[in-house]
Amino acid sequence: MPAPDRHPVGVSNEEFRAAMSRLAAGVVLVTARELPLDAQDPMAPGGEDVGMTATAFLSVSLDPPLVLVSLREGSRMDDLLAEQPLWGVSVLAESQRHIAGRFAMKGRISDRLLFEDIPYVRGEACGAPLVGGALATLECRTEQTVTAGDHTLVIGRVLTAQVPSADGGPLMYFKGKYRHLG
């Protein structure tokens, strides 16, 4: 019988994390707006904006334009995207480390407060916040979800893609820390 921290195939969680930490990844902020409490009532209050930092984000297809994000099963974003098919992605610049850290915090304050002092525009297609100063922004609609272990893979069709800022390099994640190229 394998040791408690080992999976039947032999790799432990720690070994897997250590190996995968050597894979440099870009950092994005995935955002979505909760649906209104009562969609039939135009006067009903809208839902909150929700955001999460992700490094497991990639391009899937050019035709049609598809991207994929991996969400921890049962997370607030996983639950929200199960109901709300429209979402946004902001590709963070190296100067936006504070945004990545803020939205990656465990036990964090409400999302409403997290967005309070961050410049953003609301996406025309998805209604979600798109971070000002990001290297690129995308607006997406969920096409498919796939359960994969303790995560949900969300494949989204890209509805809009903008490159609002050409300044600075990308924010990277490598060996458990935010980094920049250079």
Side-chain angles (χ1 to χ4, degrees), residues 139-153:
E139 294 183 83
C140 305
R141 182 184 67 238
T142 300
E143 291 275 310
Q144 182 180 359
T145 60
V146 177
T147 300
D150 59 0
H151 278 65
T152 302
L153 306 178

Side-chain angles (χ1 to χ4, degrees), residues 52 70-81 150:
M52 66 159 268
S70 180
L71 308 174
R72 187 175 36 80
E73 191 174 74
S75 67
R76 183 154 186 219
M77 188 62 73
D78 183 40
D79 292 343
L80 176 55
L81 293 189
D150 59 0

Side-chain angles (χ1 to χ4, degrees), residues 30-43:
V30 179
T31 55
R33 180 134 179 102
E34 289 179 321
L35 296 170
L37 297 175
D38 182 357
Q40 306 303 326
D41 180 2
M43 301 304 287

Side-chain angles (χ1 to χ4, degrees), residues 90-144:
S90 299
V91 178
L92 298 180
E94 60 192 358
S95 63
Q96 295 177 314
R97 179 185 303 208
H98 65 289
I99 295 172
R102 178 183 294 190
F103 283 90
M105 271 191 290
K106 290 184 182 357
R108 63 189 197 197
I109 58 176
S110 80
D111 283 78
R112 180 181 50 79
L113 295 174
L114 293 177
F115 281 104
E116 204 166 73
D117 64 343
I118 295 174
Y120 67 85
V121 296
R122 196 160 294 284
E124 291 182 26
C126 70
L130 301 172
V131 176
L135 296 179
T137 60
L138 304 145
E139 294 183 83
C140 305
R141 182 184 67 238
T142 300
E143 291 275 310
Q144 182 180 359

